[in-house]
Amino acid sequence: MSATDLPIEAIVDPRTFTDPAALHGLLAKIRTSDPLPFIAAPNYAPFWLVSRHSDLMAIERDAKQFINEPRQALLPLSYEAKMREAAGGKDTKDFMRNLILMDGTEHRAYREITQSYFTPKGLEPLLKDIQALAREFIGRMDAAGGEIDFADVAMAFPLRVVMSMLGVPTEDEPMMLRLTQATLSSQDPEFQSEGGARGAMIEMYTYFQNIIERRRREPDGSLASVIANARIDGELLPDRDVFGYFNIIATAGHDTTSYALTGGTLALLQNPEQLAKLRADPGLMPIAVEEILRWTTPVKHFCRTAVEDCDIAGKQVKAGDLLLMSYPSASFDEAIYEDPFAFRLDRRPNRHLAFGTGPHVCLGQYLARFELSSFFRELLDRVEHIELAGEPRFVEGSFVGGVKHLPLAYRMR
Ligand code: HEM
């Protein structure tokens, strides 16, 4: 089936995301025909699909009218029911809450706890270590002997960065990788765990509980310690919220960055003139990273719920209606970008929405940018020649995803 034949309901189908050409063909058709369609797909809550850059910006910036409660992402109703059942009929937020599900003053107070840690200045003490890790992980290609599934390197590096911030030792990382993939990309059969997403969540809860208790006994300057010892109105946060914080950083903080690394590498290989340009002018790196973020847009959607009736794009949205923000659509909106389907490392301006916008804008955006630039700098420095050695494969999932297997052949310097 060609992209233009896909029905709009295909936007909720995880398989659509394994074929970027089909996905973008469908989104372009939606943007130019009916940019805010109301979609009622079987087994999903009905929703408005926000496809235009301008509508998405306006909605995310008006956080009083468009709130994050009660749904962060659109997953099948049968899956939501299973989660509720596993939680003993309770709402899953009784078990774990995180920044993404909070609104208003509560969201501000919780975000404040780590906000300064994640600013460019707050991250400064970590930069040397991150560069050293980029060197170490690209260095692993030396030992692999010229052929590799590059996803192994691209997954391991951001995982190490974020796990070291949370106090998880290296030997526990494979387990954490399994648990975060089972919770975040759980639509992809390859990443599903035996106990399902909720089983993985419970395992993670128990694991982090130990770290939290240790950091409360022995506080240090780490991010783990900041969160474990945070107080609001003089009180330590409830366990479920401390866990929610660890969990959101563990999950949001690595797959996303990994998919920008794999997808960025693939785009460089498919556009050799752009790769040559970057090699010739490493000063291009900061804006090249923005184009890689736009091109890969690893987070495919988040949701908002309308508080009052309102008009958007000529449609009447009712209080309580669900809106699905399509970040890949906004990042390729022809009303904003000249020639959006050209991968251009010197694109400027480049106001992509890969990190969202408004009060929930990605907390880890400066960290992610720094990881990307360190990694690509190291790759270009150390690898003399690189080429595709097989078919890249994409994650089956409508929430977070990108290239999950990238077979490469290469020669190191
Ligand atoms: C939120 C994307 C890396 C932590 C978000 C949002 C997006 C996003 C789209 C929602 C924004 C909105 O609702 O407007 C990405 C991408 C990344 C990345 C594409 C990498 C390329 C990271 C990293 C961390 C992180 C490295 C932390 C270590 C968070 C957190 C939130 C968030 C905690 C919730 C913020 C809130 O609700 O206030 N991210 N992210 N992300 N991200 Fe990231």
Side-chain angles (χ1 to χ4, degrees):
M1 188 183 278
S2 88
T4 43
D5 297 332
L6 283 176
I8 55 171
E9 291 79 17
I11 202 62
V12 299
D13 187 340
R15 288 166 303 182
T16 304
F17 293 77
T18 61
D19 180 351
L23 170 70
H24 282 294
L26 175 63
L27 290 172
K29 189 176 78 174
I30 291 172
R31 280 193 303 276
T32 48
S33 55
D34 174 7
L36 193 81
F38 189 72
I39 303 180
N43 198 20
Y44 286 86
F47 64 96
W48 299 95
L49 176 72
V50 182
S51 68
R52 289 197 301 212
H53 191 282
S54 54
D55 293 331
L56 200 156
M57 290 253 283
I59 290 169
E60 293 212 343
R61 289 181 171 182
D62 188 356
K64 278 208 175 99
Q65 161 66 359
F66 301 103
I67 56 173
N68 281 35
E69 272 252 50
R71 249 202 191 85
Q72 60 171 332
L74 190 76
L75 294 168
L77 289 172
S78 52
Y79 172 87
E80 289 183 1
K82 240 179 18 207
M83 295 282 273
R84 261 196 311 278
E85 196 184 297
K90 281 200 231 145
D91 204 315
T92 45
K93 73 175 196 279
D94 292 332
F95 177 67
M96 183 201 68
R97 290 184 328 143
N98 65 46
L99 281 181
I100 291 174
L101 273 174
M102 294 177 184
D103 289 294
T105 49
E106 185 188 42
H107 172 253
R108 261 197 303 283
Y110 273 77
R111 191 162 163 130
E112 193 108 298
I113 293 169
T114 56
Q115 179 82 57
S116 63
Y117 193 94
F118 282 105
T119 59
K121 196 164 167 29
L123 291 167
E124 250 170 44
L126 300 180
L127 301 188
K128 270 213 168 72
D129 289 349
I130 295 173
Q131 269 160 348
L133 286 177
R135 204 164 311 129
E136 179 191 328
F137 282 96
I138 294 288
R140 286 188 182 181
M141 291 170 76
D142 259 335
E147 281 209 26
I148 201 167
D149 180 350
F150 194 64
D152 292 343
V153 180
M155 290 288 158
F157 165 59
L159 182 72
R160 170 71 66 80
V161 170
V162 95
M163 289 303 151
S164 65
M165 293 164 95
L166 294 177
V168 176
T170 319
E171 63 269 22
D172 292 342
E173 276 176 18
M175 175 198 64
M176 270 294 154
L177 180 61
R178 177 176 60 79
L179 296 181
T180 55
Q181 285 181 334
T183 52
L184 204 67
S185 307
S186 52
Q187 291 166 304
D188 191 313
E190 190 180 336
F191 296 143
Q192 280 161 7
S193 79
E194 236 171 60
R198 189 171 165 79
M201 201 83 92
I202 290 171
E203 239 184 292
M204 214 193 283
Y205 185 93
T206 315
Y207 182 87
F208 278 137
Q209 211 51 42
N210 284 325
I211 295 189
I212 292 162
E213 281 161 20
R214 191 164 347 118
R215 289 281 73 93
R216 284 186 176 159
R217 282 194 310 272
E218 302 158 24
D220 58 16
S222 65
L223 179 64
S225 184
V226 169
I227 301 169
N229 294 293
R231 287 175 187 268
I232 292 182
D233 298 331
E235 300 287 331
L236 286 171
L237 311 184
D239 286 352
R240 97 184 149 182
D241 293 358
V242 183
F243 170 64
Y245 227 124
F246 270 71
N247 175 265
I248 188 66
I249 289 176
T251 50
H254 80 86
D255 285 41
T256 45
T257 314
S258 300
Y259 295 131
L261 295 176
T262 52
T265 305
L266 177 60
L268 288 170
L269 296 180
Q270 289 173 331
N271 298 273
E273 77 299 341
Q274 296 295 312
L275 175 58
K277 209 171 180 170
L278 190 57
R279 276 197 194 278
D281 179 9
L284 210 57
M285 190 59 85
I287 60 166
V289 161
E290 299 308 315
E291 180 66 348
I292 288 170
L293 285 163
R294 180 186 80 88
W295 192 258
T296 56
T297 309
V299 176
K300 308 305 174 194
H301 80 266
F302 269 117
C303 293
R304 297 291 188 268
T305 295
V307 173
E308 288 174 6
D309 294 359
C310 61
D311 278 9
I312 314 172
K315 301 282 180 78
Q316 289 178 335
V317 172
K318 295 260 172 273
D321 281 0
L322 189 66
L323 299 121
L324 183 138
M325 310 288 121
S326 174
Y327 299 111
S329 182
S331 286
F332 285 77
D333 187 342
E334 36 294 283
I336 301 291
Y337 295 103
E338 189 193 299
D339 209 358
F341 293 98
F343 178 68
R344 281 194 207 144
L345 293 180
D346 57 359
R347 189 180 284 280
R348 211 194 302 241
N350 191 347
R351 300 188 64 206
H352 63 76
L353 289 171
F355 291 127
T357 184
H360 285 275
V361 67
C362 178
L363 183 66
Q365 59 173 313
Y366 299 107
L367 175 63
R369 287 186 168 107
F370 190 75
E371 288 181 66
L372 291 176
S373 56
S374 305
F375 188 88
F376 283 116
R377 216 168 269 137
E378 203 57 40
L379 183 70
L380 297 190
D381 275 2
R382 300 283 299 281
V383 181
E384 187 173 55
H385 174 78
I386 190 163
E387 62 186 42
L388 266 180
E391 271 301 295
R393 295 211 5 242
F394 289 77
V395 172
E396 193 175 315
S398 60
F399 182 28
V400 172
V403 178
K404 66 172 181 176
H405 292 298
L406 187 60
L408 294 185
Y410 58 90
R411 203 169 51 243
M412 304 293 276
R413 278 190 214 285

